[in-house]
Amino acid sequence: MTSKTNLTINAQRLWDSLMETAQFGGTPKGGIKRLSVSDEDKRVRDWFRAECEKLGCTVEVDEVGNMFATRPGKRSDIAPIAMGSHLDTQPTGGKFDGVLGVLGALEAMRTLVDMEYQTNAPIMIVNWTNEEGSRFAPAMLCSGVYAGVFTPEFAYSREDRAGIKLGDELTRIGYKGTHKAGAIKFSAMFELHIEQGPILEAEAKMIGVVTGVQGMRWYEVTVTGQESHTGATPMSLRKNALLASARMIDAIDAVGMTHLPGVASVGLIENRPNSRNVVPGEVFFTVDLRHPDEKVLDKMETAFRAALPKIAADTKVTFEEKCIWKSPAVKFAPELIDCVRNGAKQAGFTSREMASGAGHDAAYIARVAPTTMIFVPCLGGISHNEAESTTLEECGAGSQVLLNAVLAHDTTLA
Ligand code: GLV
Ligand code: MN
Ligand code: MN
């Protein structure tokens, strides 16, 4: 049997796979547009399935399109150890958000196969459907279904802004599987991801040992004014939904600024009828509030809700607001966090503990299995951007620590 010390991942092979799959939805600016359950998503899924099958893994798909690739271990009586993340991206996404977690896991699996290393537990790679929540809200949707937070029917009914349903798209691309969500079990999950923030780079640390994920809440607001002629309607008589929304957006920004390190953002806005000589009659926008402490998040919600009625009254519009998603703050499993910390040390990488500002599938999976995450730096902390950049060495370091952590956990299952 191969000894653990021989298990060194191949960073160049990982990089080549990252660059190869970046072509599925590749953008002229070097990013990826691979919206969940799109044609591009099907292409990368087909590629991922084929690569896993080449390694002798069994690939299964559940009813919401989550993909599970499994290599047997010495023991068939214990559940697999999973490594998982997502292959979907933002509309102007980078090459690493999510993808590194799946392909870094694939590289760890390739290394186990090359070295003919037999683990105690089966080892699994998971590609979670619709992590980004960009095409279909909310984020982390199908890891949420796996964890019992949402029903499959809820996931199927999610519509993109064109009114296309996630369930119909899953059928169309051939990824509505037969396994019940949650039925394909694993005993633990490790998720490798880029940090998406500036801390590791600023402190010149290679590995983030992630202790948890901050709480987040999403809202939708529709503001209704009155369409009228821009030339003929005096300023005093307007009911301008866009002006009201602009003031609301400013107030939402202030909610973030007054609850640091909380953050408050409006990322999607639709102005109707969006004609240059019509006073806007209706605006739809989304709100994203986040904080590590649920009590402060409650305060942020109260402050956001308090600001809207006054602005609406001042601008003579009406509005509807609803909370569409709450993902509470999460703490990861101490025994897996130790595996990551030791895995980084074993490989000779500097590390520091940190919480995640971004949402991740790991946040929902932590409800049903011990779970944790590994971060690597990204240039300037920039993510959700086509310019997102992480080096070959950093990607390789993350995959190596992922493998070390999985094997450290596996040795406890002999
Ligand atoms: C997912 O990328 C999120 O943090 O919203
Ligand atoms: Mn991600
Ligand atoms: Mn993302």
Side-chain angles (χ1 to χ4, degrees):
M1 193 186 79
T2 311
S3 90
K4 197 167 78 179
T5 50
N6 287 342
L7 291 175
T8 304
I9 65 96
N10 181 338
Q12 184 65 54
R13 180 170 58 181
L14 167 58
W15 188 257
D16 291 345
S17 290
L18 285 162
M19 295 308 125
E20 185 182 349
T21 55
Q23 291 165 24
F24 305 139
T27 63
K29 287 189 184 164
I32 306 180
K33 179 182 182 182
R34 196 160 63 217
L35 297 179
S36 188
V37 210
S38 61
D39 291 342
E40 294 76 25
D41 191 10
K42 174 185 164 42
R43 290 177 71 197
V44 76
R45 283 166 176 268
D46 290 349
W47 180 95
F48 172 64
R49 182 204 292 264
E51 290 301 312
C52 291
E53 285 176 350
K54 272 189 218 164
L55 295 177
C57 294
T58 305
V59 180
E60 296 167 299
V61 182
D62 75 11
E63 59 191 328
V64 288
N66 295 320
M67 300 175 71
F68 303 81
T70 311
R71 177 179 187 246
K74 281 187 262 186
R75 290 181 57 180
S76 56
D77 60 318
I78 51 176
I81 302 171
M83 309 176 275
S85 197
H86 60 98
L87 292 171
D88 65 320
T89 77
Q90 291 286 326
T92 52
K95 292 195 282 289
F96 304 94
D97 174 3
V99 188
L100 176 61
V102 179
L103 300 193
L106 178 64
E107 177 51 40
M109 189 74 94
R110 286 170 170 166
T111 304
L112 291 174
V113 172
D114 282 356
M115 304 304 284
E116 297 176 16
Y117 184 89
Q118 276 215 293
T119 49
N120 295 307
I123 305 295
M124 176 183 272
I125 311 173
V126 190
N127 170 36
W128 298 109
T129 300
N130 193 61
E131 190 276 349
E132 291 291 0
S134 175
R135 182 177 181 197
F136 302 104
M140 297 139 53
L141 180 64
C142 295
S143 51
V145 176
Y146 181 92
V149 180
F150 310 116
T151 62
E153 289 68 33
F154 175 79
Y156 297 152
S157 72
R158 299 299 83 208
E159 288 182 1
D160 66 13
R161 297 303 296 161
I164 298 172
K165 289 190 167 57
L166 182 144
D168 295 338
E169 285 291 83
L170 270 180
T171 304
R172 186 182 68 80
I173 71 163
Y175 275 90
K176 192 186 267 186
T178 49
H179 294 273
K180 285 275 161 222
I184 301 173
K185 301 285 185 202
F186 48 81
S187 62
M189 187 183 88
F190 293 86
E191 180 169 2
L192 167 64
H193 208 281
I194 57 169
E195 179 198 345
Q196 307 185 276
I199 297 170
L200 291 175
E201 183 184 66
E203 295 185 5
K205 296 275 188 339
M206 183 61 100
I207 296 294
V209 178
V210 187
T211 53
V213 179
Q214 70 177 340
M216 49 202 135
R217 298 183 192 177
W218 281 7
Y219 309 81
E220 291 181 347
V221 181
T222 304
V223 179
T224 306
Q226 186 176 51
E227 290 173 20
S228 60
H229 197 294
T230 53
T233 315
M235 297 302 285
S236 62
L237 295 182
R238 293 173 181 217
K239 296 176 181 171
N240 185 336
L242 184 57
L243 176 69
S245 301
R247 292 186 186 168
M248 289 175 182
I249 293 167
D250 196 34
I252 290 161
D253 187 75
V255 170
M257 292 302 283
T258 51
H259 294 84
L260 300 175
V263 285
S265 320
V266 173
L268 188 164
I269 179 164
E270 290 172 357
N271 177 50
R272 299 187 186 106
N274 216 27
S275 171
R276 65 190 73 205
N277 48 359
V278 180
V279 174
E282 185 180 281
V283 171
F284 169 87
F285 65 88
T286 62
V287 181
D288 173 330
L289 304 182
R290 304 188 189 202
H291 198 284
D293 182 338
E294 285 295 318
K295 289 199 187 69
V296 184
L297 202 43
D298 286 340
K299 289 194 180 132
M300 292 173 73
E301 181 176 270
T302 304
F304 148 63
R305 288 193 161 143
L308 267 45
K310 178 161 176 7
I311 294 168
D314 288 351
T315 49
K316 299 188 286 264
V317 301
T318 58
F319 71 95
E320 282 177 19
E321 170 266 309
K322 64 174 186 250
C323 179
I324 62 148
W325 183 46
K326 287 188 181 187
S327 174
V330 172
K331 289 201 189 322
F332 288 140
E335 69 276 21
L336 299 198
I337 295 173
D338 280 348
C339 291
V340 173
R341 192 184 294 108
N342 295 336
K345 203 166 159 200
Q346 182 193 337
F349 297 125
T350 52
S351 68
R352 62 112 74 202
E353 288 194 3
M354 59 199 309
S356 173
H360 298 288
D361 295 307
Y364 277 150
I365 299 310
R367 296 185 185 206
V368 290
T371 299
T372 198
M373 295 190 71
I374 301 157
F375 279 174
V376 291
C378 62
L379 188 66
I382 298 293
S383 182
H384 284 190
N385 186 318
E386 289 160 286
E388 190 179 84
S389 176
T390 294
T391 64
L392 179 151
E393 289 72 25
E394 289 162 338
C395 292
S399 178
Q400 185 66 56
V401 174
L402 176 65
L403 178 58
N404 291 358
V406 165
L407 293 179
H409 185 55
D410 183 63
T411 55
T412 67
L413 304 172

